[in-house]
Amino acid sequence: MRNKQAKMETIDALNLMIRHADKGPSGFWTDDYEGCGNPSIFPEFEDGLKHGRLVQKKHDLCPWNTAILYGTGHGNIETGCYHSCSIDRARYLSEQEIKEVLIRFKTRFEKGDYEHVDHLMPLLTENEATLIEQRILSKQLEDEQCDKLHQQDRLKKAAVLIKKYPNKKDLLGVYYGENACVHEDGGLVFFAPDSRNDVVGAENWSYDEYLDVQLASLGLAYRSGFVNGIFNHLLELKGQIERVNPRHICFKRIFISGMYPDGEMFEGTEEHVWMDKSGFESFTVGDSVSFGAEVYRYVKTGNGKRIDYGLRNPAGIRKIEAYELPSDDELMMQEIRQIICETCSLSEQCNHTFCLMDPKKKRSLEQEMFNRIKAGTDKETQK
C-alpha cells in the first residue's frame, strides 16, 4: 500500500492543477533554473527558479510520467519523473485537454489503479496522443520558417562582412547578432554584441569591426591556455618571474589549474606572460609565486589588430618554493591518459578511482599514442 500521506498530498496538488489548467501543466520540483514545477500554479517553486535551490513537493506519482501517460513500454515508472518525463509533450495539450487528463489520472489514482504497475493503461487517449504529435510537428515547421526568416535578416545585416569573408557566410547567417560564442578554425568568435564591451581596447568599436577583427584572427596563435578561465573556474596559477620593469613583470611560464562546472579538473601552460606589476612589487627575478587572477580579452596590436587573452587583478599572491613545472611531454601524457579513460570500453563499470584496464595494455596504448602525437608535433615544429 502506498504511503497514505503522500497520496493525500498528491490529490491536493492534482486539485490545484485542475483548477489552474489554464496555466499549463506542472510537475513537482524545481532546482537551479530547471525542473518541471510551474510557479504559476505553485508559487513556492519561484524560489528554486530564482536562487537555484531544490524545491520539491511531496507526492506519490506524477501524471506526466512517460509510462503513465503512454502506458507500459513507454518509459519506466520506477525510475521516477526525472528519468521518464513527458511534461514537455503535455505542454502541447489545450487547457481543456490538460484538465481532462488530470481528472482521468485523479480518478484512476483514487481507485488504486496504480497500486500495481505490472501493466499500465495509457492515460492519454489515442486522439490526445495524435494531437500532441501533430502540434509538435506544426511547431517544428513554424520554428523552421521563423529560423529561415531570421537567417535572411542576419545575412542582410552581415552583407559587408560576408563580402569580405565569403567562406563565413553560413557562420554569419546563423550567429550574427546572436548571444553565442563559437569555436571556428582553431579560434573563438564571440557574437554577442555587448561582449565587445569586455574587450580592453574594443569598447568603441562598431559591431562589424569587432567581428571583423575576430574573423581575421582565426587561425592565428593565441593564448588558448587562458580560454578555459573565461568559461570555467581557475583554481591556481604558478609561475617563475623572468623579467621585471617599472610597470610590468614577465613570467617565463605559467602553469594553470582549474575546474569545469561538473567538477572535472583541467591543466595547461602559457609561455612568457606579461602582467601589470601591481601586487608583485616585493618579488624579484627568479622568484616562484602562486596566485589567482582574472582572464580577460584585449586588443593586441603590432602586426595588425587581433584579440588575445591575458591575466589581470591578481589575488592571493604568495611566494612558493622553486618547483618543477610539468614539461610539454608530461602535459601531453596527462591528456592522453584522459582520452583513454573517456573512451575506454569499461567506463560504464569503472568508478574512475581504480582503473579496470590491464596495466600492460594501458601503458602500451599510452606510449603508442604519445609516440604518434609527438612525431606529428615534431614535424609541425620543423616546418
Side-chain angles (χ1 to χ4, degrees):
M1 179 66 69
R2 293 185 180 277
N3 183 281
K4 290 184 178 181
Q5 183 63 30
K7 289 189 69 172
M8 290 176 60
E9 290 178 346
T10 302
I11 291 171
D12 289 340
L14 288 171
N15 288 332
L16 196 58
M17 291 180 190
I18 292 168
R19 288 200 300 272
H20 296 283
D22 60 310
K23 298 180 178 67
S26 179
F28 293 90
W29 69 276
T30 60
D31 181 18
D32 196 16
Y33 312 100
E34 297 178 354
C36 56
N38 186 342
S40 297
I41 298 175
F42 301 106
E44 56 266 41
F45 287 139
E46 194 69 43
D47 185 62
L49 294 172
K50 281 186 175 180
H51 304 105
R53 300 191 185 101
L54 174 63
V55 179
Q56 187 169 11
K57 293 181 68 66
K58 291 182 180 178
H59 67 289
D60 189 1
L61 293 174
C62 177
W64 314 121
N65 180 283
T66 302
I68 290 176
L69 273 181
Y70 290 93
T72 298
H74 299 272
N76 188 338
I77 194 172
E78 300 301 337
T79 59
C81 302
Y82 184 82
H83 298 284
S84 184
C85 179
S86 287
I87 194 169
D88 284 341
R89 307 184 86 77
R91 292 189 174 104
Y92 287 92
L93 294 170
S94 68
E95 173 187 345
Q96 184 58 36
E97 289 162 351
I98 290 174
K99 187 176 294 186
E100 291 173 1
V101 169
L102 288 171
I103 291 172
R104 197 179 305 141
F105 174 76
K106 180 186 172 186
T107 300
R108 294 184 185 181
F109 185 73
E110 290 178 319
K111 285 170 57 182
D113 289 1
Y114 298 110
E115 293 292 338
H116 305 286
V117 294
D118 295 335
H119 180 71
L120 290 169
M121 292 292 293
L123 183 61
L124 293 174
T125 65
E126 288 187 15
N127 184 56
E128 288 165 345
T130 300
L131 284 173
I132 288 174
E133 299 308 313
Q134 290 174 346
R135 289 165 186 167
I136 289 174
L137 178 59
S138 177
K139 184 64 167 58
Q140 288 174 344
L141 294 173
E142 181 184 333
D143 289 346
E144 288 175 6
Q145 184 61 32
C146 186
D147 286 343
K148 287 180 180 179
L149 292 174
H150 286 160
Q151 185 177 34
Q152 291 172 4
D153 183 55
R154 287 190 288 266
L155 289 172
K156 184 178 179 180
K157 292 177 178 177
V160 174
L161 286 172
I162 291 172
K163 187 175 181 179
K164 187 173 182 179
Y165 303 97
N167 62 326
K168 302 301 180 188
K169 178 179 178 179
D170 291 342
L171 181 73
L172 292 164
V174 174
Y175 296 108
Y176 186 92
E178 299 297 313
N179 184 22
C181 178
V182 180
H183 191 272
E184 178 79 4
D185 293 341
L188 291 175
V189 182
F190 289 75
F191 282 94
D194 290 343
S195 65
R196 67 185 184 275
N197 298 328
D198 300 326
V199 181
V200 175
E203 299 87 350
N204 297 320
W205 286 0
S206 69
Y207 181 56
D208 272 18
E209 185 178 7
Y210 175 56
L211 289 184
D212 187 4
V213 172
Q214 291 189 82
L215 293 172
S217 301
L218 292 175
L220 300 178
Y222 65 99
R223 294 199 181 279
S224 57
F226 289 153
V227 170
N228 274 331
I230 294 284
F231 305 101
N232 306 292
H233 183 56
L234 291 186
L235 298 176
E236 186 181 28
L237 300 161
K238 293 179 180 179
Q240 186 180 62
I241 298 174
E242 181 180 38
R243 295 173 63 185
V244 176
N245 66 32
R247 297 181 59 187
H248 299 91
I249 63 169
C250 178
F251 290 95
K252 182 177 181 180
R253 168 182 277 196
I254 281 188
F255 177 67
I256 307 157
S257 62
M259 183 173 65
Y260 295 115
D262 63 2
E264 184 179 349
M265 308 298 290
F266 64 84
E267 296 177 339
T269 60
E270 285 294 347
E271 308 289 335
H272 303 292
V273 178
W274 285 93
M275 289 185 66
D276 189 285
K277 191 177 180 180
S278 177
F280 296 100
E281 293 89 350
S282 61
F283 300 98
T284 60
V285 172
D287 285 345
S288 294
V289 295
S290 169
F291 61 99
E294 172 193 356
V295 177
Y296 73 104
R297 295 187 299 150
Y298 68 97
V299 179
K300 188 173 184 178
T301 57
N303 187 19
K305 295 178 182 178
R306 62 189 180 94
I307 294 176
D308 209 340
Y309 302 79
L311 296 175
R312 65 184 177 187
N313 300 329
I317 305 170
R318 61 186 179 88
K319 186 175 181 179
I320 57 177
E321 295 297 324
Y323 63 98
E324 187 71 27
L325 280 173
S327 67
D328 292 335
D329 287 354
E330 289 170 331
L331 288 172
M332 188 187 300
M333 183 59 79
Q334 288 178 15
E335 293 180 2
I336 288 171
R337 287 169 180 156
Q338 184 176 350
I339 291 171
I340 291 173
C341 182
E342 291 174 350
T343 58
C344 179
S345 61
L346 301 172
S347 60
E348 292 186 2
Q349 292 81 40
C350 180
N351 62 9
H352 299 285
T353 301
F354 301 102
C355 182
L356 300 177
M357 186 181 292
D358 179 80
K360 290 183 179 179
K361 180 180 177 181
K362 185 177 181 181
R363 283 195 296 270
S364 175
L365 182 58
E366 287 173 353
Q367 195 59 51
E368 181 183 353
M369 291 178 66
F370 177 83
N371 291 339
R372 288 187 179 184
I373 295 173
K374 183 69 173 176
T377 303
D378 290 344
K379 286 182 180 179
E380 288 297 321
T381 303
Q382 291 172 8
K383 291 180 182 179

